[in-house]
Amino acid sequence: MATMLEGRCQTQPRSSPSGREASLWSSGFGMKLEAVTPFLGKYRPFVGRCCQTCTPKSWESLFHRSITDLGFCNVILVKEENTRFRGWLVRRLCYFLWSLEQHIPPCQDVPQKIMESTGVQNLLSGRVPGGTGEGQVPDLVKKEVQRILGHIQAPPRPFLVRLFSWALLRFLNCLFLNVQLHKGQMKMVQKAAQAVIEQLLVSGQPLLIFLEEPPGALGPRLSALGQAWVGFVVQAVQVGIVPDALLVPVAVTYDLVPDAPCDIDHASAPLGLWTGALAVLRSLWSRWGCSHRICSRVHLAQPFSLQEYIVSARSCWGGRQTLEQLLQPIVLGQCTAVPDTEKEQEWTPITGPLLALKEEDQLLVRRLSCHVLSASVGSSAVMSTAIMATLLLFKHQKLLGEFSWLTEEILLRGFDVGFSGQLRSLLQHSLSLLRAHVALLRIRQGDLLVVPQPGPGLTHLAQLSAELLPVFLSEAVGACAVRGLLAGRVPPQGPWELQGILLLSQNELYRQILLLMHLLPQDLLLLKPCQSSYCYCQEVLDRLIQCGLLVAEETPGSRPACDTGRQRLSRKLLWKPSGDFTDSDSDDFGEADGRYFRLSQQSHCPDFFLFLCRLLSPLLKAFAQAAAFLRQGQLPDTELGYTEQLFQFLQATAQEEGIFECADPKLAISAVWTFRDLGVLQQTPSPAGPRLHLSPTFASLDNQEKLEQFIRQFICS
């Protein structure tokens, strides 16, 4: 991987007793610190493998171990070696020379292929509305189609393409310090495109679909337009237009996301040509004279066969219930058992051509889109600004040591980071990008105090720290579930030793994890559709044990948890589908009754437990404040109007209590939609559009307080 700020920060290496390179350096802040390399070198994880449950053949055939050792490259960097020439002048004109040497494939027979396509032929034959069968002359329609094709399929001039390539590279180099891409991932995609596959599409060209909404957009995470395009591809494979297609989840991460509109009224505006040009000019103007450029990381996950997914994914479908059916009786105290079914929560509307599909095919497209989006988010690299924002938000005192510790924790969990180099360069680069949101205070000679700016600065840091949530999500859900178990037994401010005395049964842990899973939005969890809730519960419990927060407690007379010699496989277990296993040793929770755990008493556990709980605290606190707002909200109102009311309440509460992490419009709309699914808010049609009103069940203050207490049990103060 290219070293960040390479050539700008020079250090003199010296030998150390541990054999690692280190050096003393003097920063611009008047500090002397020791630079270390807090990474695992060539043992960094290779992320992005496809789902082994849904696409086992692709998982095995479209991957080779050798590609993990190919390293990274900066895709916007062109050197002398990338051209056929050498010399002093070449080093200064290498971008221009590289663009001249690029091969531009000619556009052959594209208009003819479009004319012969099924849709155009149906139009000419009158088999669709508006075709020649409705009184139009076939020759006139054909000429009109050819005239339109002449506009949209005009072959590009090679000189203009090369000039645009050169200009684009220079523009990207003005914006980014580097754009990193794993060479092994590139080779993996190229090899897959040349294979188990005749052509990607009929034209043989790739199709880029944006499944995730832009960062400033207020709404569901999964794009409705992107989901519609996935539906086109699925239809093309199902009807036989193409025999198969390869899907490659792509993730792009930034130190700081390039400027995007985050206003609540303009976030959904389409990005037109004029808007895009203004964004480019604004970016150039903001970067003019600024020496701090951002870094980007592009990740190509393992390709998988769409045909294989269509065949195998249907076997993983099961019954589902709404959030109101799953959680409302438990919130109101009407029952204690959690239903043995999955949650159905779809916030992305079905639009356009997907409405014409059968319900089974709509479900296939929705779950495929969620599967790809989950794979993309799960393989995203964590950038240095996200780590720095997390440390500042949670008030860690020693940034140098904690930055190194958090980086290694990320790598050990199978996630990758989008940076490399010496610690000094990383800290300087991160603080320079976060300079508008932090204050640098010199407390004494050689010591510097970094303090987050109150107000919007804390909100911005909370948004950056959310990039760490996929890495620690399982542990964070488990920690908040443990907090909910302890809420009614020990005081919230009780010592860690007192909390460690209590025994936690495995069944109780499963139940609390399930309750929290149902409460959290699906857009946050991004569980794969082939993964059941009970499998995820076991994964959460395993993660808590692996990270050392929970230790097994052997009760007298019970068989040790590690003793697998006398396991008996029941007849039910032999016939159970693989997605329904709830535990590696049993087919139900019967054997889990005698399993108990305690909180570990190791010295690092209290701080790490608090760190995990705080990762989910902005969302949970926003939900709790939304429950409290039910007493003073003005209803009925439109969804947008009530969301604006709640957002203003979150801002006012932030000013009073100093909890600025919750003052986020995305959290406000997430709370409104969750309460709508839970049955707290109901939607009724009106001439002016759908309006929200408080449901009769939650009109009473008693039920509103029950809802707030149910949410607050998972919050660690």
Side-chain angles (χ1 to χ4, degrees):
M1 183 182 293
T3 302
M4 188 171 296
L5 297 180
E6 182 178 4
R8 300 191 181 190
C9 300
Q10 298 181 358
T11 59
Q12 297 297 328
R14 62 176 177 87
S15 60
S16 61
S18 61
R20 296 181 302 177
E21 278 194 0
S23 64
L24 290 178
W25 57 272
S26 177
S27 71
F29 307 126
M31 303 170 59
K32 284 189 177 295
L33 302 171
E34 185 168 334
V36 297
T37 306
F39 309 108
L40 301 181
K42 64 179 180 180
Y43 299 106
R44 293 172 60 171
F46 186 85
V47 297
R49 298 296 303 273
C50 64
C51 180
Q52 193 174 9
T53 302
C54 298
T55 52
K57 295 180 181 178
S58 299
W59 187 88
E60 182 178 0
S61 61
L62 300 181
F63 177 80
H64 194 272
R65 293 291 178 186
S66 61
I67 67 176
T68 62
D69 301 327
L70 294 181
F72 294 84
C73 65
N74 184 5
V75 294
I76 63 172
L77 178 63
V78 178
K79 296 182 179 180
E80 179 184 5
E81 292 78 10
N82 301 115
T83 67
R84 294 184 293 117
F85 310 98
R86 297 294 181 269
W88 172 83
L89 186 60
V90 174
R91 286 192 291 271
R92 281 147 183 80
L93 299 176
C94 55
Y95 284 89
F96 182 71
L97 294 175
W98 176 85
S99 63
L100 292 179
E101 294 179 351
Q102 297 306 302
H103 173 67
I104 301 176
C107 299
Q108 297 179 351
D109 301 332
V110 173
Q112 184 66 24
K113 289 181 179 179
I114 295 180
M115 289 295 299
E116 295 175 355
S117 65
T118 305
V120 174
Q121 290 299 319
N122 289 339
L123 180 68
L124 293 175
S125 61
R127 288 193 290 267
V128 296
T132 58
E134 297 187 359
Q136 302 184 36
V137 183
D139 292 339
L140 294 179
V141 176
K142 187 173 183 178
K143 288 181 180 179
E144 180 66 14
V145 172
Q146 291 176 339
R147 185 187 68 81
I148 297 174
L149 286 177
H151 288 293
I152 65 176
Q153 292 293 334
R157 298 181 181 273
F159 174 75
L160 293 179
V161 174
R162 291 188 172 97
L163 182 62
F164 178 77
S165 301
W166 171 81
L168 180 62
L169 273 177
R170 301 306 300 175
F171 171 69
L172 292 176
N173 275 275
C174 291
L175 287 183
F176 299 101
L177 187 62
N178 55 55
V179 178
Q180 300 165 359
L181 179 65
H182 198 287
K183 291 185 287 187
Q185 296 169 358
M186 214 164 20
K187 183 177 179 181
M188 177 175 60
V189 174
Q190 292 172 353
K191 183 179 179 181
Q194 296 170 359
V196 275
I197 309 297
E198 295 184 10
Q199 52 186 348
L200 189 61
L201 294 176
V202 172
S203 61
Q205 299 296 323
L207 177 64
L208 179 64
I209 300 177
F210 293 92
L211 274 181
E212 191 172 18
E213 289 287 358
L218 295 179
R221 191 170 189 174
L222 181 63
S223 169
L225 181 60
Q227 186 172 251
W229 276 101
V230 173
F232 283 133
V233 178
V234 171
Q235 279 185 293
V237 174
Q238 285 183 326
V239 300
I241 296 178
V242 289
D244 200 355
L246 285 180
L247 301 185
V248 186
V250 180
V252 183
T253 51
Y254 307 90
D255 279 334
L256 286 179
V257 179
D259 297 335
C262 56
D263 184 70
I264 193 170
D265 298 321
H266 302 93
S268 59
L271 185 63
L273 182 61
W274 179 245
T275 308
L278 287 179
V280 170
L281 293 177
R282 186 170 61 249
S283 300
L284 286 176
W285 179 260
S286 62
R287 299 294 173 187
W288 186 264
C290 180
S291 60
H292 304 302
R293 291 175 292 169
I294 61 178
C295 298
S296 178
R297 167 75 182 276
V298 180
H299 182 91
L300 303 177
Q302 183 182 359
F304 64 91
S305 166
L306 176 58
Q307 183 67 44
E308 182 186 10
Y309 180 86
I310 293 176
V311 173
S312 61
R314 298 180 188 273
S315 61
C316 300
W317 296 356
R320 291 174 178 252
Q321 290 184 353
T322 64
L323 184 62
E324 182 177 359
Q325 295 171 327
L326 288 173
L327 215 55
Q328 190 184 101
I330 299 176
V331 170
L332 299 178
Q334 298 173 355
C335 72
T336 58
V338 184
D340 184 11
T341 185
E342 303 297 320
K343 177 179 68 173
E344 181 68 29
Q345 188 176 54
E346 298 293 344
W347 286 353
T348 303
I350 297 294
T351 58
L354 292 184
L355 294 173
L357 297 180
K358 297 184 295 185
E359 184 177 355
E360 184 180 7
D361 291 334
Q362 291 181 4
L363 183 61
L364 174 66
V365 173
R366 285 203 306 264
R367 297 194 174 179
L368 174 61
S369 303
C370 293
H371 214 297
V372 176
L373 182 59
S374 175
S376 300
V377 174
S379 59
S380 300
V382 179
M383 306 303 286
S384 59
T385 47
I387 297 178
M388 180 62 69
T390 303
L391 296 177
L392 294 175
L393 191 65
F394 299 157
K395 299 179 181 179
H396 284 258
Q397 301 296 326
K398 301 178 181 179
L399 292 180
L400 287 170
E402 298 294 340
F403 192 99
S404 174
W405 161 77
L406 196 49
T407 301
E408 293 178 355
E409 290 290 333
I410 292 170
L411 296 175
L412 289 172
R413 280 164 175 77
F415 286 78
D416 202 359
V417 292
F419 54 85
S420 181
Q422 291 185 328
L423 191 56
R424 171 206 180 188
S425 301
L426 296 175
L427 293 180
Q428 280 189 323
H429 179 75
S430 302
L431 289 176
S432 65
L433 294 178
L434 299 176
R435 187 66 179 87
H437 309 288
V438 298
L440 305 179
L441 306 175
R442 190 191 305 275
I443 53 178
R444 58 179 177 268
Q445 183 63 30
D447 289 332
L448 189 73
L449 181 63
V450 185
V451 181
Q453 298 271 8
L458 285 175
T459 305
H460 183 78
L461 293 180
Q463 293 171 349
L464 284 176
S465 68
E467 297 179 15
L468 279 177
L469 197 51
V471 181
F472 298 95
L473 183 58
S474 298
E475 291 99 326
V477 170
C480 291
V482 172
R483 176 63 258 170
L485 267 182
L486 299 176
R489 304 183 184 181
V490 295
Q493 303 296 337
W496 182 260
E497 293 78 9
L498 179 60
Q499 301 181 25
I501 297 177
L502 298 176
L503 286 177
L504 308 175
S505 72
Q506 184 166 323
N507 278 345
E508 292 175 328
L509 288 170
Y510 278 146
R511 181 180 182 275
Q512 287 296 116
I513 294 171
L514 279 175
L515 292 179
L516 183 55
M517 281 180 57
H518 292 330
L519 177 65
L520 295 176
Q522 188 65 30
D523 276 9
L524 175 71
L525 290 174
L526 285 180
L527 294 181
K528 295 180 180 179
C530 59
Q531 184 179 20
S532 67
S533 298
Y534 284 97
C535 283
Y536 187 74
C537 285
Q538 185 60 45
E539 178 185 334
V540 170
L541 190 58
D542 291 342
R543 289 291 185 90
L544 291 179
I545 297 173
Q546 291 171 4
C547 69
L549 283 179
L550 286 183
V551 291
E553 179 71 16
E554 304 291 351
T555 56
S558 65
R559 179 171 53 85
C562 60
D563 182 13
T564 59
R566 292 180 292 177
Q567 289 292 328
R568 294 183 178 179
L569 297 178
S570 67
R571 186 171 302 176
K572 293 182 181 179
L573 180 62
L574 297 177
W575 290 99
K576 210 164 192 183
S578 60
D580 291 339
F581 282 110
T582 54
D583 188 85
S584 59
D585 297 333
S586 61
D587 59 333
D588 53 25
F589 290 133
E591 290 190 18
D593 290 336
R595 297 180 185 171
Y596 292 88
F597 301 89
R598 293 185 190 270
L599 288 176
S600 175
Q601 297 300 309
Q602 299 181 26
S603 58
H604 72 279
C605 288
D607 292 337
F608 189 55
F609 183 82
L610 187 61
F611 165 79
L612 294 174
C613 290
R614 284 181 172 177
L615 288 175
L616 285 174
S617 64
L619 177 69
L620 293 175
K621 287 180 180 178
F623 281 14
Q625 293 180 17
F629 181 67
L630 294 174
R631 307 182 185 98
Q632 50 184 298
Q634 301 297 320
L635 288 172
D637 197 355
T638 63
E639 185 178 279
L640 183 62
Y642 189 72
T643 302
E644 182 64 26
Q645 287 187 50
L646 178 58
F647 178 56
Q648 292 177 359
F649 175 76
L650 294 178
Q651 287 181 314
T653 306
Q655 294 291 339
E656 296 174 1
E657 303 179 2
I659 312 177
F660 293 94
E661 305 94 288
C662 306
D664 189 341
K666 292 184 180 180
L667 297 181
I669 198 168
S670 181
V672 171
W673 287 352
T674 301
F675 282 11
R676 182 192 61 193
D677 295 344
L678 186 57
V680 179
L681 301 174
Q682 293 182 346
Q683 205 171 40
T684 55
S686 69
R691 298 178 68 83
L692 293 176
H693 63 89
L694 197 61
S695 68
T697 304
F698 287 90
S700 65
L701 292 178
D702 184 39
N703 287 343
Q704 293 177 13
E705 290 178 357
K706 289 180 180 179
L707 174 63
E708 184 177 357
Q709 291 302 318
F710 175 81
I711 299 173
R712 289 196 179 276
Q713 68 174 326
F714 301 109
I715 301 176
C716 188
S717 58

